[in-house]
Amino acid sequence: MESAPQHVAVIGAGMVGLATAWFLQERGVQVTVLDRTGVAAGASWGNAGWLTPGITTPLPEPAVLRYGLRAVLSPSSPVYVPPRADARLLRFLLGFTRHSTASKWRTAMQAYIPMNRRAFEAFDALAAGGIASMTHEAKSFIAAYRTEAERSVLLDELGHIHAAGQEIEFDVLSGAEAREVEPSLSDGIGAAIRLYGQRFINPGEYVHALADAVRARGASIVTGADVVDVRDEGARVRVVTSAGADDRYDAVVLATGTWLGELARRFGVRTVVQAGRGYSFSVAIEHVPSGPVYFPAQRVACTPLGDRLRVAGMMEFRRADAPLDRRRIMAIADAARPLLRGADLDARVDEWVGARPCTPDGLPLIGRTASPRVFAAGGHGMWGITLGPLTGKLLAEQITGGGQPEELTPFDPLR
Ligand SMILES: Cc1cc2nc3c(=O)[nH]c(=O)nc-3n(C[C@H](O)[C@H](O)[C@H](O)COP(=O)(O)OP(=O)(O)OC[C@H]3O[C@@H](n4cnc5c(N)ncnc54)[C@H](O)[C@@H]3O)c2cc1C
């Protein structure tokens, strides 16, 4: 691209697309956001809302692989792989397996660390810019276990994270100590880890506030705009929707979450983006925790949302648009039941399924594609909320002619 673009279309109104839109506006760019459904219609709504750079790590790792194998054998396991995988899923699983080694994990972790270090800086920029939704300091962030033996898995992982150079402070607690900090834990909890320095948000509310801010600064957010074609015509990029809208922009950002491959493939992005579907719901609880509560052995993540508790979990490698499977909701509720005190797990509201955009190497795809006018921003897997704002900040720098920020080198969409 010869000069900095003046008008950019961002496709996808999730955390990543809207953060990119906001930071482009910060650099004087006019933005149009298009989403086929609406703001936060994808994974950015019902997720756990953890802003946890201290534990933001690549998904493929040796322990996950052991989990995956067990999952195939047990239907109530928190990881689900369909017995008959299609060709794309097989490609993903093969790549994922290849990357699930200790040395590949260490290399990928080195890509995450510089991002993790700056993740809050981007949230703070958004706060200073007047985003109406707050980030909350996690006064407590407890990972809780039935036994000390279960706890050793995360302790090992924290050791690896620390050895890789990621800062993370934590304490090891007994069950009773954990209940003192977090009375919502049941007597079934026998061991815990308390993490420090992390934050959380109400993700749906936050992403809507981000959309409001983007609109207030002059962007239009077009909903019901299903983009079916993106073409680089030389000087400009043409964007066509299924309803027949046909517009041209100086540049386009593809921020379509788990659907990224559909539009990005023709621009040389070959990495598979596979839906890793997760479920959530919220419940009333006698004592609302003062920060996230994590049950790693059950892979259940809880987050306080106002006067309720969101309970989230599952990793279901299925088609992104498949219907919600009630058995998964029940599996999460049943797993959480003996671990929480005073939670009404039978009166669930906001039952939700959403798809984490997972890549085989566990790294997001951020940056220029084979076209100098088309950029990818997605594939953050478990961490698109934590890293969405920084992704937008760095990508806006690159799009407006600042060159590729060093942090983005490992996330090159053409790798
Ligand atoms: C249960 C669960 C818990 C999670 N917990 C956390 C957490 O605690 N912390 C964290 O950091 N991350 C978490 N994640 C991951 C996080 O939710 C995702 O990484 C993140 O939301 C991805 O954001 P995105 O903007 O890339 O995609 P999305 O939010 O999925 O947005 C993509 C948008 O693109 C639109 N779109 C797609 N195709 C088209 C098209 N052709 N035309 C127009 N629009 C299109 C969709 O409608 C959608 O709105 C969790 C995920 C799940 C499922």
Side-chain angles (χ1 to χ4, degrees):
M1 221 166 7
E2 303 79 36
S3 55
Q6 289 173 8
H7 190 184
V8 174
V10 174
I11 305 173
M15 176 62 118
V16 174
L18 288 167
T20 308
W22 195 91
F23 283 104
L24 280 168
Q25 290 175 318
E26 199 69 355
R27 293 173 163 263
V29 177
Q30 186 194 343
V31 180
T32 298
V33 181
L34 300 126
D35 197 288
R36 67 171 157 215
T37 311
V39 170
S44 295
W45 192 85
N47 61 78
W50 294 3
L51 312 182
T52 45
I55 52 168
T56 292
T57 61
L59 183 59
E61 41 117 7
V64 159
L65 207 58
R66 283 197 298 277
Y67 240 95
L69 284 178
R70 224 189 308 156
V72 179
L73 304 174
S74 153
S76 64
S77 155
V79 182
Y80 173 79
V81 180
R84 282 162 167 233
D86 61 24
R88 205 173 62 108
L89 177 55
L90 275 178
R91 223 178 104 207
F92 168 80
L93 291 172
L94 276 174
F96 190 86
T97 307
R98 258 206 325 273
H99 284 91
S100 295
T101 65
S103 84
K104 288 254 165 48
W105 182 89
R106 278 195 296 271
T107 308
M109 191 62 210
Q110 290 312 315
Y112 270 104
I113 289 173
M115 295 291 280
N116 293 347
R117 213 167 273 148
R118 295 185 61 189
F120 289 150
E121 159 197 323
F123 279 96
D124 294 342
L126 291 170
I131 301 302
S133 184
M134 301 264 297
T135 68
H136 307 280
E137 292 289 338
K139 292 197 191 79
S140 70
F141 191 126
I142 302 270
Y145 302 86
R146 276 178 299 219
T147 63
E148 286 181 12
E150 278 181 358
R151 181 175 63 191
S152 63
V153 179
L154 185 60
L155 280 179
D156 279 355
E157 211 175 304
L158 288 170
H160 293 309
I161 291 174
H162 195 257
Q166 172 68 53
E167 280 166 34
I168 174 74
E169 242 188 89
F170 64 91
D171 275 342
V172 174
L173 307 181
S174 68
E177 286 167 337
R179 268 185 296 282
E180 226 166 88
V181 180
E182 208 45 89
S184 57
L185 294 172
S186 79
D187 290 339
I189 296 302
I193 298 172
R194 181 177 188 174
L195 302 171
Y196 294 96
Q198 313 303 305
R199 303 188 196 176
F200 64 99
I201 55 173
N202 178 335
E205 181 193 284
Y206 191 92
V207 174
H208 275 279
L210 190 50
D212 292 343
V214 165
R215 249 187 234 110
R217 295 162 132 208
S220 51
I221 299 182
V222 190
T223 58
D226 183 15
V227 175
V228 288
D229 200 8
V230 175
R231 261 169 217 277
D232 182 352
E233 294 185 326
R236 310 203 76 195
V237 189
R238 185 172 166 192
V239 174
V240 181
T241 71
S242 57
D246 186 346
D247 295 300
R248 286 167 176 78
Y249 302 89
D250 300 323
V252 167
V253 177
L254 307 175
T256 48
T258 199
W259 301 272
L260 190 71
E262 291 168 15
L263 295 171
R265 210 164 298 129
R266 85 154 48 133
F267 298 103
V269 179
R270 280 199 285 270
T271 300
V272 184
V273 181
Q274 166 66 41
R277 302 200 330 157
Y279 288 75
S280 74
F281 51 81
S282 83
V283 294
I285 184 161
E286 273 165 29
H287 179 278
V288 180
S290 53
V293 173
Y294 180 27
F295 301 116
Q298 292 72 20
R299 304 247 153 190
V300 171
C302 306
T303 309
L305 296 187
D307 60 354
R308 296 180 73 78
L309 189 71
R310 174 167 288 166
V311 183
M314 287 299 304
M315 178 65 89
E316 203 188 31
F317 290 124
R318 283 180 70 194
R319 194 165 55 78
D321 303 300
L324 180 147
D325 183 341
R326 299 203 55 79
R327 291 173 305 176
R328 311 276 174 245
I329 296 273
M330 292 311 297
I332 297 171
D334 290 343
R337 207 181 300 277
L339 308 171
L340 286 169
R341 181 204 299 273
D344 192 354
L345 285 152
D346 295 318
R348 300 177 294 271
V349 303
D350 288 335
E351 291 183 348
W352 176 88
V353 61
R356 303 174 187 87
C358 298
T359 57
D361 60 8
L363 300 178
L365 302 153
I366 314 167
R368 225 194 81 164
T369 65
S371 155
R373 283 165 281 274
V374 178
F375 298 82
H380 294 77
M382 314 234 298
W383 303 117
I385 298 299
T386 304
L387 295 180
L390 182 62
T391 296
K393 187 169 194 275
L394 297 174
L395 187 59
E397 231 175 276
Q398 182 175 5
I399 294 172
T400 52
Q404 184 189 45
E406 211 182 315
E407 290 90 340
L408 296 188
T409 318
F411 308 130
D412 190 332
L414 301 178
R415 67 180 177 269

